[in-house]
Every structure is written in structure tokens, then in C-alpha cells.
Amino acid sequence: MSAEGERDGDAAGRLGCASFRRDFGVDYAYLAGSMYRGIASKELVVAMGRAGFMGFLGAAGLSPERVTGDIAHIRRHLDPRRPFGVNLLCDLQHPARETANVEMLLAQGVSVIEASAFIKVTEALVLFHLSGLRAGPGGAIERGTRIVAKVSRPEVAREFMRPAPVDVVERLVAEGRVTRRQAALARGVPVAQDLTVEADSGGHTDRGVSTVLLPSMQSLRRRAAQEFGYGEKIRLGLAGGIGTPQAVAAAFAMGADFVMTGSINQCTVEAGVGDAVKDRLQTIDVQDTDYCPAGDMFEIGALVQVLKKGVLFPARANRLHALYKSHESWEEIPQETRRQIQDAYFKKSAEEVWRETCEHLRKTGRESEIERAERNPKRRMALMFRWYYGYTSRLSFMDADVDRANVQIHTGPALGAFNQWARGTPWENWRNRHPDRIARELMREASSILSGYR
């Protein structure tokens, strides 16, 4: 490396917040966010950790056995001094399952989680938070566990910036799950010291604008610090749209303490998604995504951002949601429309779809959902349409284009911007892309951009 390259590399390590780098044991204020069902794979996490960054394992949608196996792999291949994290996805409908996931992570010695899709601070989060609190020298409060909370709405961010809810803390103390000392310490720190402000992103999105969201969250942070008199700084990172050195530089210029990438990492060698999907993703541009209702929140119409180029999934998902809103049952939908859905969307009969749905619910211990659906035709229709989301998602993990039109691929325009930046370089082909090398180059060039304005 040239002397100039060495200087750029050193400067890249100074971008963002120094306390963030120190507390997490990383060389760069840069995180690779989780992507569901292991797209953010154990290999991706190891690669990031070895290079002085930190990655989050995409645990959402994986069995506990798979998650524990992946954690064991990471521990075998990553120096104990290098950090890693695991995603925790909100599960409002089944809070016991969310708590069980936290207990499993604590038993595995996981000290950092990325909390995503939460709309409030839950008991499971408080348990993870309090379990690591201890008194440090000079009256300081030390964290043995850390939550990186992904937020896109101010009212949710405010919850994470406050101390843990007193009623939840007292319940955990009464149950003997945390100590009185931990409960007392919890009054002096926010639930999460680190929040990732998520602008418009691949997957679940509120379509936020980074130049609006980050300043708003910075104002919230200032008020929280004044109200609670914290001894530690609440750190705010930026995610969503981070795919080029210019975007990284803009984030730090706005005062972000760290950055988090997502979509650009799913088109790398280490990403746990099919090669056929990566072949598609390396060609997309910034306009090649669209929005549709999320499968896990189908009824309320919460949005995900997905690939539009060369597929029919987003249009078909939006049509199913429109049919759900305008009809009270599957049988009420016109016969010709039902036939088209079975032939082109499901690729099987409605009876087969419902049978497979019931089998899945029984296997996952949710027999009550079947009984509820049998009493409520509209609920039954929603579960059948949710089956389509599961089917289309599974297609993205296959190496071959089995059903090209229906594949569901969560991604954002940041990948399109990265593809344009990488055009004409070896990185144009995803087989030459590795998340740690991309991270290092983005940070190095961002540092060079920022130094030009000083």
C-alpha cells in the first residue's frame, strides 16, 4: 500500500465515534446489519469480525438449533477478542418465543444483539439489557450486554432512549430473573446506548429520508440526555441507502456515530442466498425496487422493499393485499381470479395451500391459529396469502431459477448505487465481492472525500 493509502486507512479508522469503536472492540465505526434467514451468514459475520468490523447474524426465521450451530461456528473461526452480534426480531404475537430467544442467546454468551422491527421495549429486551449491567469503578455503570436498536420512528426511538420501564423491571426482579442491584443500575442508563436510524431500506421499511430522520433523532437524544442526566452518550448510527463512499461520507458529515450496511452485503460471496439471486442483484440499478405488504404483517399492510426488475412478485403481492381488503373470504373472490392465483401464483390448488399451511402451524405449535381461521374465513384467506410469501421467499435460497416470476428478494436501491460505483472494476461481478473488503474501501474513500472538504 502507498503512503497515501496508509494515511487514508488510518483516517478511515477515525471516522465516527471513538467510544463506539472502543466499547465494541472494532477498528471502524461500521456495522454489517442482519438479513433474515441467514442471508447475513455465519461466514459473513466471521469475515467482518476478522477485518476489524462487526456483523450481525441473520437469525430471524432460523430454528434455535440452527442459530446455536451458527454461533458455535462463529466462535470457532473468530478470535475471542473480535466482536459479533445476533439479530433479535420482534415477535409481538408470541412474546414467549421472543423471551425464549433471548434466554437462548444469553445462555450462548452472546453479548450484542441487533433489535429490529420493535415498536416498543419488550420484557425480552429488558431481560437482555439488565442481565449485563454491573457497577464499575467510580460509580460508573458497565454494560456486559449491548442492544443496537434499529429504529425508523421517533416514538420508538424515544422508548429505547429511556431507562427500562419500571413495571417490567420489577416483574423480572420478582421472578428472580434479574437482581435488585441490576434493577437499581437500570435507572441510570438508557435501554440502548446505540440506535441505528434506518432510512428507506431493503426489506421492512417506513420509507424514511435520512436527512430528515437523523437530525430528528439527534434532537430526541439531546432532550433525553437533559431529562435523565445520563453519564454516557447515546450514539446514533445511520442505515438505509448506504452503498457508496459518498453515502458513507454524507452520513458522517451529518454527525452519525457509525454506519450500517445491508443490501450491498447480500450480493457477496459470503451472503447466504442462492447464486441465481446474486446473478440478478449484481445487475440492478437504483430504480429496480418496489414496495409491497410484508408477509409477517400482511393484514396491516406494513411495507417491505423488494426487487422489481425481472419479477412479478411485488405486483402480485400488492394484488393479493387488495383482494384481502375487498373480500371477506377466499370463496368470495371471483372464480376466474381464484383460478389465476392458483395457476400463476401458488402453482397448486387452494386446498393444497391450506393443507400445507395447517401442517406448518401444527409443526410450530400454533394449532390455535388453525381453529381461529376455521371460524373466521377472512383470517383463513390471510393465512393462505401468507403462504405465498413463504413460498416466494424460499425461492430466493435456491441456486436455480425454479420460478423466476414469483421470487421474492428483499433489497434496496443502495445496491443499485453500489453496482454503478463498481461498474468497470473487478467488483462488477459478485464473485469478487466480499463484505469486509467492500467495507474497508467504502470507509477509505469516504475518509478521502471528507478530507477534501476540510
Side-chain angles (χ1 to χ4, degrees), residues 94-164:
H94 304 94
R97 189 161 59 192
E98 184 181 289
T99 299
N101 286 334
V102 161
E103 291 171 340
M104 179 266 290
L105 293 175
L106 288 171
Q108 292 291 317
V110 173
S111 60
V112 184
I113 60 171
E114 179 198 49
S116 57
F118 284 83
I119 59 173
K120 65 178 183 178
V121 172
T122 64
E123 182 175 301
L125 288 174
V126 175
L127 173 62
F128 188 87
H129 163 51
L130 266 65
S131 294
L133 293 184
R134 56 180 178 261
I141 300 173
E142 296 183 347
R143 293 175 181 265
T145 54
R146 292 185 176 275
I147 297 170
V148 179
K150 190 176 283 186
V151 296
S152 56
R153 302 172 67 92
E155 70 272 19
V156 178
R158 191 179 297 114
E159 291 286 309
F160 281 100
M161 292 182 186
R162 299 175 63 87

Side-chain angles (χ1 to χ4, degrees), residues 56 94 122 284 290:
F56 288 94
H94 304 94
T122 64
I284 72 169
D290 202 354

